[in-house]
Amino acid sequence: MTAETTPDATIAAEFVGPLWTAIRSADGPRPAKDHHHLIRGLFDAAWLGSLPLLVGKDRSEKQSVALGSAMQFERHPTSEALDGAYAARPRTRIYEGYDARTGGWPAMVTRILMRLADCRVV
């Protein structure tokens, strides 16, 4: 068995390595106490900004996108309807379910974290 060496696999490995180390050092994936840990500087902002995201025209049709404004959300059945509603009134695009269903490196990160944490990532 050989490991994947695709660009997506490389990004996923570079993303999960530091993230999992931080998770483990902050009480693990299922902390005993209900509190959050802020870990600054885990990723370089320029590197994060350079990562390809499956948004806009690059998103999968399986991935739903809502238009949101002031706690109001609109979902549209097709990309054309979404684009038309956004053009008529620009709002925040909320990419829902950006996980194992969307493909690419985010899907790989989700699958790896699910295995490491022995749970489902939501």
Side-chain angles (χ1 to χ4, degrees), residues 10 13 17 19-21 29-31 47 52-53 55 59-60 66 120 122:
T10 300
L19 180 58
W20 187 248
T21 300
R30 296 185 186 122
W47 178 73
L53 296 176
V55 297
R59 79 176 173 87
S60 165
R120 182 175 190 283
V122 178

Side-chain angles (χ1 to χ4, degrees), residues 14-107:
E14 291 172 353
F15 195 90
V16 169
L19 180 58
W20 187 248
T21 300
I23 290 169
R24 296 291 300 153
S25 68
D27 298 332
R30 296 185 186 122
K33 297 179 182 175
D34 189 18
H35 65 276
H36 302 280
H37 294 273
L38 175 62
I39 302 170
R40 295 185 187 278
L42 184 61
F43 297 108
D44 176 65
W47 178 73
L48 286 175
S50 74
L51 296 178
L53 296 176
L54 301 172
V55 297
K57 302 280 186 223
D58 296 329
R59 79 176 173 87
S60 165
E61 283 293 328
K62 295 177 186 176
Q63 180 186 12
S64 61
V65 180
L67 296 177
S69 176
M71 296 305 293
Q72 295 178 350
F73 301 93
E74 286 181 23
R75 290 176 181 85
H76 299 274
T78 66
S79 293
E80 293 78 20
L82 175 72
D83 292 343
Y86 183 81
R89 188 172 136 234
R91 287 155 283 169
T92 301
R93 291 179 190 241
I94 303 163
Y95 289 80
E96 302 173 304
Y98 200 81
D99 59 17
R101 295 170 289 169
T102 59
W105 68 268

